Amino acid sequence: MILKITFTGTEDPEAHIIAFHTQMMISGRTDTLHCKLFMGTFSGTALDWFISLPDGHITSFDQFSTLFREQFIVNQAPPPVSFDLFDVKQYQEETLKDFLNRFGALVVKLHTKDKAMMVHAFRRGVLPGPFSDSLIRCHLKTFSEIRRRAVAHIDAEEEVTKKCGSVGPARPRGTSCPQPMRVHEATIEKKPRLNRHRMSRGSLRPGHERGKAHPPGITSE
């Protein structure tokens, strides 16, 4: 059996033991095999420490894990407290999905049951925007309600992003867009043409205009 965890001597010893137990839960191995597999996760400084132990010094896995914690206790992270939730802030370029996962991970570690505090801490940590405004209007009372509303908001944002990034299909060949008709189009007045059948050369006498007669008593010379 090969474990997918490694301890070099700089990580949190408690977190490493928890990860080891998680992978060994389905194995059902003996205490001796637990000790051998646990030792197999060491490298670097941690492996040097194990080699320095006297032969026969390890008698059980409980003893082994206790020695391990004491040796690397300086790397152990302090246990989180409920007020640490107020230190979780959404970064400027962080998505709501990533912030929700980061905030939820700390909620799991805290094992807190103060629903009002979780809601208040999340509202203070999320960046101002449409989602933050919706939290104020809806007066949600539990973190589960916030999570459901956040998931719906995330799905809507992703749908909008997909639509904005999509490109419409190309126009099929052989089809063209009809040209729009011009509303304001200048009209050209055509000059009336003379009727060649009715008018002939010399039909109008000099001094006379077509369609007009000379005043009485005046004749052309």
Side-chain angles (χ1 to χ4, degrees):
M1 182 177 180
I2 301 176
L3 301 179
K4 299 180 180 180
I5 54 175
T6 304
F7 188 86
T8 63
T10 59
E11 297 84 2
D12 185 350
E14 191 64 35
H16 184 70
I17 291 176
I18 293 174
F20 177 79
H21 278 302
T22 302
Q23 296 194 26
M24 295 296 294
M25 285 177 62
I26 61 175
S27 65
R29 307 292 180 175
T30 62
D31 192 73
T32 302
L33 186 57
H34 272 65
C35 292
K36 291 181 179 180
L37 291 175
F38 189 64
M39 177 270 298
T41 64
F42 294 166
S43 66
T45 305
L47 184 59
D48 294 339
W49 164 76
F50 177 78
I51 295 173
S52 67
L53 295 176
D55 294 339
H57 189 66
I58 305 297
T59 58
S60 67
F61 182 75
D62 289 339
Q63 179 214 19
F64 192 8
S65 59
T66 300
L67 293 173
F68 174 75
R69 288 189 181 94
E70 292 176 351
Q71 177 65 29
F72 300 101
I73 193 173
V74 68
N75 299 329
Q76 185 171 341
V81 294
S82 299
F83 289 100
D84 289 342
L85 287 174
F86 290 93
D87 295 331
V88 183
K89 306 291 184 182
Q90 184 180 8
Y91 304 125
Q92 289 295 331
E93 302 299 329
E94 187 178 23
T95 63
L96 178 60
K97 182 178 181 179
D98 292 339
F99 173 68
L100 181 65
N101 290 333
R102 191 160 54 88
F103 189 91
L106 183 56
V107 170
V108 173
K109 290 182 180 180
L110 291 175
H111 303 286
T112 180
K113 297 181 179 180
D114 193 340
K115 299 178 181 180
M117 184 185 66
M118 287 188 289
V119 171
H120 188 56
F122 187 89
R123 285 173 51 183
R124 289 191 58 180
V126 70
L127 288 174
F131 178 71
S132 177
D133 296 340
S134 68
L135 295 181
I136 298 175
R137 292 193 302 268
C138 294
H139 303 288
L140 303 181
K141 297 180 179 180
T142 65
F143 182 65
S144 298
E145 294 177 351
I146 289 179
R147 186 186 290 110
R148 287 193 294 267
R149 189 170 189 85
V151 170
H153 185 82
I154 292 169
D155 292 340
E157 281 188 338
E158 291 178 351
E159 186 67 22
V160 171
T161 302
K162 290 179 181 179
K163 288 185 177 181
C164 292
S166 62
V167 179
R171 184 183 297 275
R173 294 182 178 180
T175 61
S176 59
C177 182
Q179 294 293 334
M181 298 183 62
R182 295 184 228 177
V183 178
H184 302 288
E185 184 176 1
T187 58
I188 303 176
E189 296 182 358
K190 297 182 179 180
K191 297 181 178 180
R193 296 181 178 180
L194 297 177
N195 193 328
R196 294 183 179 180
H197 296 283
R198 298 179 59 182
M199 302 295 297
S200 60
R201 183 178 300 177
S203 60
L204 292 178
R205 289 178 297 176
H208 287 73
E209 294 183 2
R210 181 181 175 182
K212 293 183 180 181
H214 289 286
I218 301 177
T219 58
S220 59
E221 296 178 359

